[in-house]
Amino acid sequence: MSRAGASIERTGLTTWDLDELPSTFSTRTGKHTVVGYPALVDEGSSVAVRVLPDEQQAIAAHRAGVRRLLLLCTTPPWKRVLARLTNAQKLALADNPHGSVPKLLDDALAAAVDDIVLQHVTGPVRTRADFDRALTATRTHVAQRVLTAVSEVEPVPAQRTAALALLERMTAPALGVTVADVRAQLDGLVRPGFIADTGLDRLPDLRRYLRGISLRLERAAENPRRDATHRGGDRRGRSRLRRPARRTAAPAPTLAGRGRHRVDDRGAAHLALRAVHRDGPLGLGQTGPVRHRRHLDLTWEWPDRPGRCHNESFTDREVPDVTERLYRYMRPTPTPRCCSPDR
């Protein structure tokens, strides 16, 4: 593929000097037609044009490459950002998986740029006009958007520290599998680069997942057997949700994509919610119980049909479509009256 795309590949770009970067590239090699997907590839201090063999790989690489090119053409707003950070925020951000506050702020800057591009440019950036529009918006809004990212991330280090403290106290042999499972989940959710990977619009969900983890650990200490039962159901559900879904032409809104969050949304339900109807809402953004069964029972109130409670049953094959609908429609609203435990 590299030899086939050598005619359009370039290296060392620090600004957009292309008229248009095509989404596909084809050439003939002997009797065969080779199809590749051109993308901007982040190389740290510069950006390269590469022809990649996989479309989804090219979409992700191009998004990161556009971000790097915008950052190279923009002066980081650290003076304005640091002047508006309070001492409490600086202390809260010091305990982070990046290793230092500057690296965490770089991650927040990357998330801010991604969010600005999504807001001001329709579709992928592949023309000079689109890049100029994204660059103008980035220079205008980046400082405020970084502050927004920092305010959203501020509680995350404390939540992660609290969960790790709970893990350190769980030394019983019966809890060994639970501890390993939660550590793996924490490492996947909060790690270097997690702000940009999660996306600015999904950071509130990340805090909800961390609250669910802490609640799971508290309940696991009381009843390890119950946690093992829920863990088995969650593992089966995650396996189903990780099956390939329908391929769409539009790229995911964040580097992590919606699929990961659909898994974590369902994981939060199993890690934290035993039964909303019995225990009451737990402040995790869930409005009804989610159970792993042969038929997945979901209870929520649809915004386009307010006041009506819907208990619907879906087969395993329908789970990906159902969770996408749940992602788009579910909101942290009060439990409908028809589902109230006091009724």
Side-chain angles (χ1 to χ4, degrees):
M1 181 58 68
S2 61
R3 285 185 296 176
S7 60
I8 68 169
E9 289 189 342
R10 299 174 58 185
T11 59
L13 299 180
T14 57
T15 186
W16 189 285
D17 59 1
L18 310 167
D19 290 330
E20 181 178 0
L21 184 65
S23 58
T24 59
F25 173 81
S26 61
T27 185
R28 291 192 63 83
T29 302
K31 297 181 179 180
H32 303 283
T33 299
V34 179
V35 179
Y37 303 91
L40 295 181
V41 178
D42 181 5
E43 294 189 340
S45 60
S46 64
V47 172
V49 176
R50 304 289 187 192
V51 179
L52 303 179
D54 180 74
E55 183 181 10
Q56 297 304 312
Q57 178 187 2
I59 289 173
H62 184 70
R63 190 182 298 113
V66 169
R67 177 209 298 161
R68 175 59 60 190
L69 202 57
L70 288 169
L71 290 173
L72 290 173
C73 296
T74 305
T75 302
W78 300 136
K79 186 175 181 179
R80 284 178 289 171
V81 170
L82 294 175
R84 297 179 62 178
L85 286 180
T86 65
N87 290 332
Q89 286 179 313
K90 294 175 183 178
L91 289 173
L93 297 174
D95 183 16
N96 63 72
H98 300 74
S100 67
V101 173
K103 290 182 180 179
L104 181 141
L105 291 177
D106 285 337
D107 191 11
L109 177 61
V113 171
D114 286 345
D115 193 64
I116 292 170
V117 172
L118 287 170
Q119 182 178 351
H120 291 86
V121 180
T122 302
V125 177
R126 290 192 171 273
T127 66
R128 186 188 299 272
D130 286 341
F131 182 80
D132 289 343
R133 191 180 307 116
L135 181 58
T136 300
T138 298
R139 289 172 174 173
T140 303
H141 302 289
V142 68
Q144 184 58 48
R145 207 61 61 92
V146 169
L147 288 170
T148 300
V150 169
S151 65
E152 293 287 352
V153 170
E154 182 183 351
V156 170
Q159 288 180 299
R160 173 175 173 267
T161 300
L164 290 174
L166 288 172
L167 287 172
E168 292 297 328
R169 295 198 296 268
M170 299 177 71
T171 58
L175 295 171
V177 177
T178 297
V179 170
D181 189 36
V182 170
R183 285 191 186 277
Q185 190 181 20
L186 277 175
D187 291 342
L189 290 173
V190 186
R191 64 193 186 284
F194 78 91
I195 306 176
D197 287 346
T198 301
L200 200 59
D201 60 330
R202 298 310 301 263
L203 287 175
D205 294 316
L206 174 62
R207 299 197 303 270
R208 177 164 56 85
Y209 304 151
L210 293 174
R211 291 198 300 271
I213 286 175
S214 294
L215 186 56
R216 173 193 177 180
L217 294 176
E218 293 172 1
R219 292 187 168 183
E222 299 171 359
N223 192 334
R225 182 175 298 179
R226 180 180 62 188
D227 182 80
T229 301
H230 290 175
R231 185 174 63 249
D234 180 58
R235 187 180 299 112
R236 291 190 296 272
R238 285 170 176 259
S239 175
R240 287 201 299 268
L241 287 173
R242 282 171 178 152
R243 294 172 185 168
R246 293 194 306 270
R247 184 181 293 270
T248 58
T254 65
L255 293 178
R258 287 186 178 181
R260 165 63 186 273
H261 290 286
R262 287 204 301 267
V263 172
D264 286 329
D265 275 327
R266 302 233 335 156
H270 286 276
L271 300 179
L273 296 179
R274 191 144 187 279
V276 168
H277 294 309
R278 195 189 75 176
D279 297 335
L282 298 176
L284 296 176
Q286 304 285 344
T287 59
V290 180
R291 307 181 186 91
H292 285 297
R293 292 180 179 172
R294 180 173 179 77
H295 287 77
L296 177 66
D297 300 323
L298 301 173
T299 303
W300 68 88
E301 185 176 3
W302 294 84
D304 55 346
R305 288 176 284 180
R308 295 182 58 189
C309 176
H310 300 269
N311 293 288
E312 303 187 36
S313 186
F314 304 91
T315 63
D316 291 346
R317 187 168 296 181
E318 297 173 303
V319 164
D321 292 338
V322 172
T323 51
E324 181 66 87
R325 292 164 64 194
L326 182 62
Y327 165 79
R328 288 189 285 115
Y329 287 107
M330 191 173 69
R331 296 291 185 272
T333 56
T335 303
R337 179 175 174 79
C338 57
C339 294
S340 173
D342 299 327
R343 183 178 173 87

